[in-house]
């Protein structure tokens, strides 16, 4: 996810607070940075050219992708492919991690009081995109070109919590390119039976019993009478390949002769990965 304007300035201030020994700043660093931004670094209005792909019905009613561009002047911009960010910050109900889309929420120049109202609206558990002062575009790709010479052109981007210098960027979602490990849904196992307790004996270091016939006979008899604890089989690629668990890519599980069943690990393609291309042409997380 990423942001600009108010989100970028708050990230910049939070990054400065990171090294300060302020009590409670670790858990409330962004809240403190937001108050500092509103009080001492206002206004945070930014201007840019925003382009994005949308679907519109064609002549025959079939959805057709078209490219749109518009000039924006905003106090906050949030782009995310997650419906909820951070510690419970709802962004948009119309996107999911694995649907190949992201939401671009634009808050126009509504002033300091309006910015606080939209932030509190989200903090109370409402989706930011549902606020009447927020314009939201759902897309798979967008571009952002900050306008040079405008007051907010020096405000950095917020890229997953890190400040990045504002520049011309292109962001698109690579649908289902991120592979995740997760437990298989049918890998629920019963608790393993308790292992037999080992019998521990203590002997005085001053008395040697290594050559005592009586002790040797007793130890041999005890070893024959005590049950042995079976060892756990090793999970190897060859044995794991026989598993019946399936997923979109591959699956691993313990073979059926294992003494204690182990939950299977599923190797699945599940999520979408947003990437951005900056002015230098390099790929970076966005």
């Amino acid at each position: 996810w990423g942001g600009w304007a108010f989100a970028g300035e708050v990230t910049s201030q939070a990054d400065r607070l990171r090294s300060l020994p302020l009590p409670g700043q670790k858990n409330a660093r962004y809240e403190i940075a937001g108050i500092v931004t509103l009080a001492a670094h206002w206004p945070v209005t930014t201007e840019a050219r925003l382009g994005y792909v949308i679907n519109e019905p064609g002549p025959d009613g079939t959805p057709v992708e078209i490219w749109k561009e518009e000039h924006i002047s905003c106090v906050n911009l949030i782009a995310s492919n997650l419906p909820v960010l951070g510690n419970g910050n709802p962004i948009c109900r119309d996107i999911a991690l694995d649907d190949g889309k992201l939401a671009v929420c634009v808050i126009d120049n509504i002033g300091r009081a309006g910015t606080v109202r939209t932030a509190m609206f989200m903090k109370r558990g409402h989706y930011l995109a549902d606020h009447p002062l927020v314009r939201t575009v759902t897309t798979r790709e967008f571009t952002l070109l900050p306008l040079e010479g405008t007051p907010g052109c020096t405000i950095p981007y917020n890229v997953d919590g890190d400040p990045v210098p504002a520049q011309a960027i292109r962001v698109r979602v690579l649908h289902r390119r991120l592979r995740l490990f997760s437990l298989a849904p049918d890998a629920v196992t019963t608790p393993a039976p308790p292992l037999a307790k080992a019998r521990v004996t203590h002997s005085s270091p001053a008395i040697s019993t290594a050559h005592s016939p009586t002790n040797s006979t007793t130890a041999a008899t005890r070893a024959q009478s005590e049950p042995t604890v079976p060892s756990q089989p090793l999970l190897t690629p060859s044995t794991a390949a026989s598993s019946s668990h399936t997923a979109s890519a591959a699956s691993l599980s313990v073979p059926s002769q294992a003494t204690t069943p182990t939950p299977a690990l599923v190797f699945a393609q599940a999520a979408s990965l947003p990437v951005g291309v900056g002015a230098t042409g390099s790929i970076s997380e966005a």
Side-chain angles (χ1 to χ4, degrees):
W1 79 280
W4 193 34
F6 184 72
E9 186 62 36
V10 168
T11 301
S12 179
Q13 297 301 321
D15 195 58
R16 296 187 181 98
L17 292 172
R18 194 186 301 271
S19 59
L20 298 180
L22 297 177
Q25 65 92 11
K26 183 177 181 180
N27 297 325
R29 183 166 61 245
Y30 284 93
E31 285 77 4
I32 297 172
I35 295 173
V36 171
T37 299
L38 288 169
H41 298 275
W42 195 267
V44 290
T45 305
T46 55
E47 295 186 44
R49 294 290 302 176
L50 174 66
Y52 48 88
V53 173
I54 62 171
N55 289 324
E56 288 193 352
D60 58 351
T62 305
V64 177
E65 282 192 345
I66 64 172
W67 183 264
K68 277 196 170 184
E69 285 194 3
E70 60 177 283
H71 174 270
I72 61 171
S73 176
C74 62
V75 296
N76 207 359
L77 184 148
I78 300 292
S80 173
N81 69 327
L82 297 172
V84 179
L85 293 179
N87 188 18
N89 297 311
I91 300 300
C92 182
R93 65 175 75 248
D94 298 328
I95 58 173
L97 180 62
D98 58 353
D99 66 356
K101 298 186 297 183
L102 54 82
V104 181
C105 298
V106 179
I107 304 177
D108 293 324
N109 190 5
I110 57 176
R112 192 171 353 207
T115 302
V116 173
R117 283 196 298 269
T118 57
M120 296 308 298
F121 179 82
M122 181 180 63
K123 289 294 184 181
R124 286 194 292 266
H126 303 291
Y127 285 100
L128 180 65
D130 291 347
H131 196 281
L133 297 178
V134 178
R135 297 187 297 115
T136 303
V137 175
T138 302
T139 183
R140 63 174 178 82
E141 181 178 351
F142 75 92
T143 60
L144 192 65
L145 175 63
L147 298 183
E148 296 183 3
T150 56
C153 65
T154 58
I155 297 177
Y157 292 143
N158 172 358
V159 180
D160 199 19
D162 294 319
V164 175
Q167 56 188 294
I169 59 169
R170 175 191 174 201
V171 179
R172 60 191 176 97
V173 179
L174 303 180
H175 192 208
R176 303 183 69 85
R177 295 293 181 88
L178 184 64
R179 294 182 174 183
L180 303 175
F181 281 103
S182 67
L183 288 176
D186 56 345
V188 179
T189 61
T190 57
L195 298 178
K197 294 184 179 180
R199 186 175 299 173
V200 180
T201 59
H202 300 278
S203 59
S204 173
I207 301 175
S208 174
T209 59
H211 302 288
S212 172
T214 303
N215 289 338
S216 300
T217 303
T218 303
T221 303
R222 183 181 301 160
Q224 294 176 0
S225 61
E226 290 182 348
T228 58
V229 179
S231 60
Q232 299 290 339
L234 294 177
L235 179 62
T236 63
S238 59
T239 57
S242 63
S243 166
S244 61
H245 293 292
T246 59
S248 58
S251 63
L252 296 175
S253 68
V254 176
S256 58
Q257 68 268 23
T259 303
T260 304
T262 303
L265 286 176
V266 177
F267 193 47
Q269 292 181 334
S272 302
L273 181 65
V275 297
V277 181
T280 58
S282 60
I283 302 287
S284 61
E285 292 185 5

